[in-house]
Amino acid sequence: MKASICLNELMFLAAIAYFASPPPALAYLDPGTGSYMAQVLFSLVFGGWLFIKSLLFKRS
Amino acid sequence: MLTTERLPSSFRDPSGFVFRLGTSLFRQVAPGYKEHYDQLIASGLYQTLSDCELLVKHQEVDLGRSCPEQTYKVLKPELVPFISYPYEWCFDQLKDAALCTLKVQKLAMQHGMTLKDASAFNIQFLKGKAVLIDTLSFEMQKEGEPWVAYRQFCQHFLAPLALMSYKDIRLNRMLQLYIDGIPLDLATSLLPNHAWLNISLLAHLLLHSRSQRHYSDKQVEHRRLKLSALSLAGLIDNLEATISSLKCPVQKTEWADYYADTNYSDAALSQKERLVSEFLDELAPAKVWDIGANVGLFSRIAAKKGMHTVSMDVDPMCVERNYRVSAERGETNILPLVLDLTAPTPAIGWGAKERLSLSERGPADTVMALALIHHLAISNNVPLWRIAEFFAEISKSLIIEFVPRDDCQVERLLLTREDIFPNYTQEAFEAEFGKFFDIEKSVRIDGSRRTLYLMKR
């Protein structure tokens, strides 16, 4: 379990470093840099999954 | 001219604030929020959300000279009969509040807007349903911008729900300690390893928390990355699926099977129900608090009469069952809540005024305390005069059951402990409560040694 978590973390941090850094957030809530980074990655992953699901749904 | 009194809980958001004028409640919309408010109305989002009962309805009103300075609009929202807090909710209530927030966010995105915060305190239960009460929580969605409230949503909803589901149902009480939600590093340290087999929890909690830690002391080069609408929709969709998949654990708790183990005969229980009903008819309260309500058997007598009834119990599984029954039946007058009367909800937040204590949300027109007093006096060593004093603080009238020392439930409480309660007698009970209340009626419940009282202040 621990090894798989470490691998996940490494992949996550590498992907984050590769993809993005946050814009200034002019919001009354501080979205937090780490949360922003995480959201960018998860949005890409889950958005991609939603796209695939919609294609599969269309075909069926 | 009446003066406006700003609510102490309404100060964080510069878009406006809630204030009291006389006995009515209003929401000021600040001039700086004009374009967002206009978009909320013009886009049809307000109408859609209020039609779906996801957002509290309001009317725009003109208060003339009583209007606060620098105001774009004044709104008069529909009143919520009792403000409750996430740390008083059972699992399904917090889950319904989370799903309400995500539904609102989805609809907002379809109308070119987004929720700028996702605080659990912005959700209340109105007519039995979770509803957003902060009309100023919306702003226009800037193309490609992430969801600014993502971290707050994870802290206020996902983390406590995961902790309750995977660890212990009582852990929602942590929201009382952490007013802006449970810190993700703390939540992840408490969750068991098998929680990470759920990929979405792994992402939104564990990796999210590690990302927070990784970037906590780093300066990053600001370069704009656009997120597509589909990516954001995918994120919200996944959060919704994750929340929906979390289940309330089946936990054996002290009071969950109370009515299967009570010493009442069917006839005695029926008589008690009839007496409670008669006492309620005589008092005709608008607001009832049933304290120690278990699964809400007697609360429903009041609720069916159209009285708004807060049905409180210390046992989260009882409250869970109570809420599920209420949701299944579509009951609109009953609000089940988790409450420990020996340590009732305190005032917390900034200046200890941001979130109100139980007493500050009272007094109730009528408090019902049925089969409760022996637990307070004997299990918790609270003297009768202190119990009477507290009930006088939170109620205008009282329907209370005295359970005497020779009742088998009291004998059970005394089985394993020394009897240090010589003053726990019916005479002492009447004398102490008589200092605060007029005892209007007292009726012995047939087939038991218990007595039901009706008292008024």
Side-chain angles (χ1 to χ4, degrees):
Chain A
M1 177 58 74
K2 272 195 172 175
S4 70
I5 289 172
C6 287
L7 185 64
N8 274 322
E9 273 183 64
L10 281 174
M11 284 171 58
F12 165 71
L13 293 174
I16 285 290
Y18 178 76
F19 276 116
S21 56
L26 300 173
Y28 95 98
L29 272 190
D30 176 11
T33 304
S35 292
Y36 174 87
M37 294 299 203
Q39 185 182 167
V40 168
L41 182 70
F42 304 151
S43 295
L44 293 173
V45 173
F46 296 128
W49 174 237
L50 187 66
F51 179 68
I52 292 167
K53 271 201 303 186
S54 67
L55 284 181
L56 292 173
F57 184 72
K58 263 186 192 172
R59 282 190 181 178
S60 63
Chain B
M1 192 175 76
L2 291 169
T3 53
T4 60
E5 180 199 348
R6 187 169 174 156
L7 292 198
S9 59
S10 186
F11 63 91
R12 289 189 200 279
D13 187 353
S15 306
F17 59 86
V18 181
F19 63 95
R20 200 180 297 278
L21 185 67
T23 55
S24 300
L25 214 59
F26 299 93
R27 187 181 290 278
Q28 179 251 25
V29 183
Y33 189 69
K34 176 182 183 301
E35 59 173 338
H36 301 290
Y37 179 77
D38 289 346
Q39 174 73 7
L40 173 69
I41 303 299
S43 67
L45 177 59
Y46 167 77
Q47 197 60 47
T48 304
L49 291 173
S50 53
D51 287 349
C52 298
E53 297 179 322
L54 290 167
L55 176 65
V56 73
K57 292 182 172 68
H58 70 248
Q59 288 179 307
E60 291 181 12
V61 292
D62 183 3
L63 295 182
R65 290 173 61 198
S66 295
C67 187
E69 285 179 12
Q70 296 187 331
T71 292
Y72 171 54
K73 299 250 187 201
V74 174
L75 313 179
K76 187 172 189 215
E78 184 179 356
L79 274 186
V80 176
F82 185 88
I83 295 293
S84 59
Y85 299 125
Y87 37 83
E88 298 170 329
W89 298 342
C90 65
F91 181 87
D92 272 21
Q93 283 174 308
L94 187 60
K95 183 172 171 175
D96 285 350
L99 291 173
C100 169
T101 303
L102 292 172
K103 278 181 200 157
V104 169
Q105 171 64 3
K106 270 181 151 178
L107 286 166
M109 286 162 61
Q110 288 167 17
H111 288 77
M113 301 199 82
T114 185
L115 278 176
K116 64 182 178 182
D117 49 23
S119 165
F121 294 98
N122 284 347
I123 303 290
Q124 288 297 323
F125 287 87
L126 183 62
K127 295 171 190 163
K129 287 185 178 172
V131 60
L132 177 72
I133 58 163
D134 187 359
T135 313
L136 311 188
S137 275
F138 301 91
E139 63 183 8
M140 286 188 282
Q141 172 73 38
K142 291 177 191 146
E143 197 186 339
E145 289 279 303
W147 186 27
V148 75
Y150 170 67
R151 176 185 60 83
Q152 196 178 38
F153 181 85
C154 292
Q155 292 183 177
H156 279 236
F157 294 109
L158 188 57
L161 281 169
L163 283 168
M164 290 167 84
S165 180
Y166 280 89
K167 196 75 182 175
D168 195 295
I169 197 169
R170 293 167 293 187
L171 285 172
N172 70 323
R173 291 292 290 273
M174 285 178 69
L175 286 167
Q176 196 173 306
L177 297 173
Y178 296 98
I179 198 166
D180 196 25
I182 301 173
L184 297 186
D185 60 330
L186 178 58
T188 52
S189 71
L190 293 173
L191 280 165
N193 283 337
H194 70 267
W196 311 130
L197 295 174
N198 180 328
I199 297 295
S200 299
L201 288 184
L202 177 83
H204 296 302
L205 296 181
L206 186 63
L207 298 184
H208 186 172
S209 161
R210 299 291 163 90
S211 176
Q212 285 179 328
R213 193 173 64 191
H214 180 78
Y215 284 100
S216 64
D217 57 353
K218 288 187 176 53
Q219 285 208 325
V220 289
E221 181 196 343
H222 286 178
R223 134 172 99 82
R224 195 167 289 274
L225 180 86
K226 300 279 186 193
L227 275 181
S228 71
L230 181 70
S231 298
L232 270 181
L235 183 83
I236 304 301
D237 197 60
N238 181 264
L239 284 170
E240 197 174 30
T242 308
I243 297 281
S244 297
S245 72
L246 292 174
K247 299 276 181 275
C248 177
V250 179
Q251 268 179 242
K252 176 77 181 161
T253 54
E254 190 176 4
W255 301 106
D257 297 320
Y258 175 74
Y259 286 111
D261 189 29
T262 178
N263 60 350
Y264 277 118
S265 64
D266 288 347
L269 198 59
S270 298
Q271 191 211 3
K272 185 173 164 183
E273 287 174 337
R274 198 180 65 248
L275 279 173
V276 168
S277 178
E278 284 171 12
F279 286 3
L280 284 169
D281 286 340
E282 187 169 333
L283 293 167
K287 294 181 180 181
V288 175
W289 292 359
D290 184 4
I291 299 177
N294 198 267
V295 293
L297 183 68
F298 295 95
S299 304
R300 287 192 166 74
I301 296 174
K304 280 178 184 163
K305 293 177 187 290
M307 302 160 184
H308 186 268
T309 307
V310 186
S311 185
M312 312 175 194
D313 201 276
V314 67
D315 190 316
M317 286 311 292
C318 288
V319 179
E320 186 70 31
R321 283 169 61 180
N322 197 352
Y323 178 68
R324 284 183 188 177
V325 169
S326 163
E328 279 164 20
R329 295 181 185 172
E331 294 170 335
T332 55
N333 276 333
I334 189 165
L335 174 63
L337 290 181
V338 180
L339 178 100
D340 180 358
L341 198 63
T342 62
T345 310
I348 60 168
W350 184 251
K353 288 179 178 167
E354 202 175 343
R355 310 293 169 209
L356 301 176
S357 70
L358 176 71
S359 305
E360 286 166 332
R361 286 173 280 170
D365 296 326
T366 297
V367 163
M368 298 202 292
L370 307 174
L372 176 71
I373 192 152
H374 53 307
H375 296 294
L376 300 176
I378 293 176
S379 304
N380 292 284
N381 294 18
V382 185
L384 285 170
W385 69 269
R386 287 220 159 207
I387 300 172
E389 181 185 55
F390 181 69
F391 279 125
E393 187 187 325
I394 62 168
S395 66
K396 296 176 188 167
S397 62
L398 190 58
I399 298 174
I400 187 166
E401 181 179 10
F402 182 76
V403 183
R405 181 186 298 275
D406 53 2
D407 184 278
C408 68
Q409 294 286 347
V410 178
E411 285 174 345
R412 189 189 291 180
L413 292 180
L414 289 169
L415 265 181
T416 53
R417 60 178 308 178
E418 186 185 351
D419 186 349
I420 52 165
F421 311 98
N423 296 327
Y424 185 76
T425 63
Q426 191 147 0
E427 293 72 30
F429 167 81
E430 289 184 3
E432 295 299 349
F433 276 74
K435 290 176 186 169
F436 298 93
F437 295 91
D438 293 327
I439 299 176
E440 304 267 326
K441 284 187 178 173
S442 64
V443 181
R444 174 68 68 89
I445 298 168
D446 292 342
S448 82
R449 298 174 187 281
R450 302 179 174 199
T451 305
L452 198 65
Y453 288 84
L454 186 158
M455 304 185 187
K456 287 183 189 170
R457 290 196 64 194

